[in-house]
Amino acid sequence: MNQHNGLRRKLEKYAIPNLTLYLIICYGIGYLMQYLVPAGYQYLMLDPFLVLKGQVWRLVTWILIPPDSSNIFFVLITLYLYYSLGGLLERIWGTYKYNVYLFSGLLFTILGAFVLCGYSVLMGAQPTMYTGLYLLNNGSAVYFGQFSTYYINMSIFLACAASIPDVQVLLMFIFPIKVKWLGIVYGIILLVNCIQGGIATWIVVIFSLLNFLVFFLRSKGKMHLSVGQIKRQQEFHQKMRSAGQTKGITRHKCAICGRTELDGDDLEFRFCSKCNGNYEYCQYHLFTHEHVK
């Protein structure tokens, strides 16, 4: 735990605020390329076979491939929804944790592509005239275009459904619905797609959403916050920032790591009732420290 906190303090300063906005900008560049240079789409796809042949830019450029663009109105609604949910999740989790979540999702997606590549080799994959499409010796096909930002967006949505299940969104800007119900619907859709798609689809979905599974398991299934908790948390952070700016002193300090409320907006502090004395701890050490007797 201490090693993790030490690494976090070193990397926290490199966290990118409002990361969802940059992701949306990448989608915008991808949409422009689709309309201006349609043939260039094939050079963006995450195809491990071509990466191993030297086309290493594909490890990054697949992020430019936007979600389905068949209906521009639907695209705008979807992007606005994910931008709003991503921003909300960043405010609740903190910039550092949200960065780790998104970047781990990107890395797991790349890892999944190479796992599927290995499976394809074992199944005697043969290239076709279409980039990213390979025929296997069992008569099925593998399409690496399945590794897309669709699942990155899905991971944001599922994280919101798990963390803030009672928050309402306006479906199509009209129908109010709680995020948790949409999360359940999306989960069922993913399960059906996996059952219908076979092992290749399982690999795509599991690795693309592995960041959500890891975060959910690490939190022991207790990621959710109520609307009241979110409001109190935001009020707490605002008060602490105001106190630090006006008085130049801190009100809270962890007895283990020494961090204060000025070290991160996502930090919370509590006194331990089992310690002999007034010992205060951050949320990372509240349940892991040795009690002072």
Side-chain angles (χ1 to χ4, degrees), residues 236 240 249-255 258-263 268-271 280-281:
F236 171 80
M240 291 303 99
I249 59 175
T250 60
R251 293 188 175 187
H252 302 277
K253 183 177 181 179
C254 178
R259 285 190 292 181
T260 70
E261 68 272 11
L262 300 181
D263 290 320
E268 293 185 0
F269 299 86
R270 297 289 186 272
F271 286 96
E280 190 176 22
Y281 304 93

Side-chain angles (χ1 to χ4, degrees), residues 21-48:
L21 176 61
Y22 294 102
L23 193 61
I24 299 298
I25 291 174
C26 288
Y27 296 163
I29 296 174
Y31 282 125
L32 287 177
M33 291 187 64
Q34 280 188 352
Y35 286 107
L36 299 178
V37 193
Y41 178 86
Q42 61 180 324
Y43 296 102
L44 304 179
M45 187 184 302
L46 178 58
D47 186 336

Side-chain angles (χ1 to χ4, degrees), residues 73-91:
F73 178 71
F74 178 76
V75 167
L76 292 176
I77 292 178
T78 302
L79 293 183
Y80 176 77
L81 174 64
Y82 285 120
Y83 174 74
S84 301
L85 293 178
L88 179 59
L89 197 60
E90 181 177 350
R91 289 193 294 273

Side-chain angles (χ1 to χ4, degrees), residues 79-120:
L79 293 183
Y80 176 77
L81 174 64
Y82 285 120
Y83 174 74
S84 301
L85 293 178
L88 179 59
L89 197 60
E90 181 177 350
R91 289 193 294 273
I92 295 172
W93 281 3
T95 300
Y96 172 80
K97 183 176 180 180
Y98 185 66
N99 272 234
V100 172
Y101 183 75
L102 274 191
F103 281 118
S104 63
L106 298 175
L107 292 176
F108 284 140
T109 299
I110 295 173
L111 177 61
F114 279 91
V115 170
L116 184 57
C117 176
Y119 168 76
S120 301

Side-chain angles (χ1 to χ4, degrees), residues 7-17 96:
L7 179 63
R8 172 174 180 149
R9 287 196 295 272
K10 291 180 180 179
L11 297 179
E12 206 163 22
K13 60 183 177 181
Y14 300 110
I16 304 173
Y96 172 80

Side-chain angles (χ1 to χ4, degrees), residues 145-157:
Q146 294 182 89
F147 290 98
S148 68
T149 52
Y150 167 78
Y151 292 106
I152 301 300
N153 294 333
M154 182 66 71
S155 71
I156 295 175
F157 189 88

